[in-house]
Amino acid sequence: QDGSATAVPSDGVEYLVSTSVGGQSLNLDFDTGSADLWVFSSELPSSDLSGHSYYTSSDSSTFQSLSGYTWDISYADGSGASGNVGTDTVVIGGTTVEGQAVELAEKVSSTFVSDAADGLVGLAFSSINTVSPTPQSTFFENAQSSLDSPLFAAYLPNNADGAYDFGYTDDSKYSGDITYTDVDSSNGFWEYPSTSYKVGSTTHSQSGYTGISDTGTTLILMGDSAVTAYYDQVSGSSYDSSQGGYVFDCSADLPTLSISIGGNYATIPASLLNFGTASGSSCFGSLQSVGSGTQNIYGDVFFNAFYGVFDASGPSFGFATV
Ligand SMILES: N#Cc1c(N)n[nH]c1N1CCCC1
């Protein structure tokens, strides 16, 4: 059934959603850029559990083990986790899935130990789920048949509580129309052509580029030509390796950045392009380099400005001004 779950901003880097797994409440990071639902579990070393809620399968009357099934995920930022697998009842807002594959962590990388999330809910396509020997469906894929519409939406306003809506779009969370574009899910992502951008009012092409809508990434990550074109318009900006990205004086006058989503521009306001203080009077840019490749990653900063609709019929991705 349809429902909405509150997404709470955490440390400015992610939004966490209180989720029930086998009746146990965990604060999970919803990630449209990956497809594994995994949780901190009692199988981890106890030293990894401090500060975290965790799942204990033996405390759940509805847990069923998937004997011999394992998972092992590595993320682009170098973090990772691995463990074994079972199924249990997962409740998010008003939406319940029985028999959801739940990936229990036996190992997590250090970044997860120090991060506030108690695990992740992957909302990309199950073609990139890491469970062996059989990839498992996501919570959304399993929930689809019980929803009025086969879609979910992300509402992630800057520094304020947001929400994930399942089965419907909530027109109190956006203004104007939702603009949709076809999604190419062949790489497992909510991916679409993104072949141009604007720095302020100046248009640049980035032929052959795509973009993905990725709530598990904090910033806007684009190719080096776009990043250079943007910061060339920010006087005094520079790449600071000690901060790990482009910085500028906090008083700098920033241009807007418009990204093309299947040919329609989404304009990120200048205020959102200053991610905040790096050190002293220098501020960190919300636009940073994706590194190599031609796949841009549009993360939470995008969703600070736009309500994002992930529609499995098509599939398609829609955005509307928050
Ligand atoms: N890197 C990375 C990444 C991404 N592109 N989407 N989600 C990610 N993570 C989720 C938890 C850690 C990293």
Side-chain angles (χ1 to χ4, degrees):
Q1 263 306 1
D2 294 1
S4 182
T6 301
V8 179
S10 171
D11 301 327
V13 295
E14 60 193 355
Y15 289 75
L16 302 180
V17 181
S18 181
T19 301
S20 172
V21 181
Q24 301 172 40
S25 287
L26 300 171
N27 290 323
L28 303 182
D29 177 9
F30 282 26
D31 180 9
T32 60
S34 65
D36 286 52
L37 193 165
W38 70 264
V39 295
F40 272 67
S41 83
S42 55
E43 297 170 359
L44 281 163
S46 52
S47 56
D48 286 353
L49 296 174
S50 101
H52 286 277
S53 298
Y54 59 90
Y55 175 76
T56 303
S57 57
S58 56
D59 289 347
S60 169
S61 60
T62 43
F63 173 77
Q64 298 201 329
S65 173
L66 285 173
S67 177
Y69 283 53
T70 58
W71 62 283
D72 188 339
I73 196 163
S74 298
Y75 298 100
D77 66 1
S79 64
S82 63
N84 48 34
V85 190
T87 62
D88 211 336
T89 300
V90 175
V91 184
I92 295 171
T95 306
T96 297
V97 170
E98 297 181 350
Q100 172 65 45
V102 177
E103 302 170 32
L104 286 64
E106 294 177 283
K107 294 180 183 173
V108 296
S109 62
S110 56
T111 50
F112 286 115
V113 176
S114 50
D115 187 86
D118 301 322
L120 265 75
V121 175
L123 295 168
F125 294 86
S126 52
S127 57
I128 58 172
N129 176 268
T130 75
V131 172
S132 172
T134 313
Q136 301 295 300
S137 296
T138 69
F139 173 84
F140 171 57
E141 287 166 342
N142 287 326
Q144 263 171 53
S145 55
S146 78
L147 302 176
D148 282 345
S149 297
L151 64 85
F152 67 94
Y155 170 64
L156 305 176
N158 188 225
N159 290 325
D161 284 3
Y164 283 87
D165 299 329
F166 287 90
Y168 70 104
T169 55
D170 179 349
D171 62 13
S172 74
K173 292 174 175 140
Y174 63 89
S175 58
D177 296 330
I178 301 172
T179 301
Y180 287 92
T181 193
D182 290 344
V183 157
D184 171 2
S185 62
S186 59
N187 294 318
F189 302 111
W190 296 89
E191 187 167 17
Y192 35 77
S194 186
T195 57
S196 68
Y197 60 94
K198 293 195 277 190
V199 177
S201 56
T202 305
T203 303
H204 301 262
S205 71
Q206 47 180 17
S207 63
Y209 272 74
T210 63
I212 66 168
S213 296
D214 183 1
T215 58
T217 288
T218 305
L219 302 178
I220 305 272
L221 307 179
M222 295 180 72
D224 287 326
S225 56
V227 172
T228 301
Y230 183 84
Y231 288 111
D232 279 352
Q233 302 307 313
V234 182
S235 53
S237 67
S238 65
Y239 182 85
D240 180 344
S241 53
S242 68
Q243 299 290 339
Y246 285 83
V247 297
F248 42 79
D249 191 282
C250 294
S251 64
D253 188 15
L254 297 176
T256 59
L257 173 70
S258 301
I259 58 179
S260 64
I261 295 187
N264 299 295
Y265 284 114
T267 300
I268 314 281
S271 57
L272 288 177
L273 292 162
N274 181 338
F275 192 62
T277 303
S279 67
S281 68
S282 86
C283 277
F284 198 75
S286 305
L287 172 65
Q288 297 294 340
S289 174
V290 74
S292 59
T294 57
Q295 184 190 74
N296 292 337
I297 300 180
Y298 303 136
D300 293 347
V301 168
F302 171 86
F303 293 94
N304 291 164
F306 297 98
Y307 184 70
V309 183
F310 301 78
D311 190 327
S313 64
S316 64
F317 176 72
F319 63 95
T321 301
V322 163

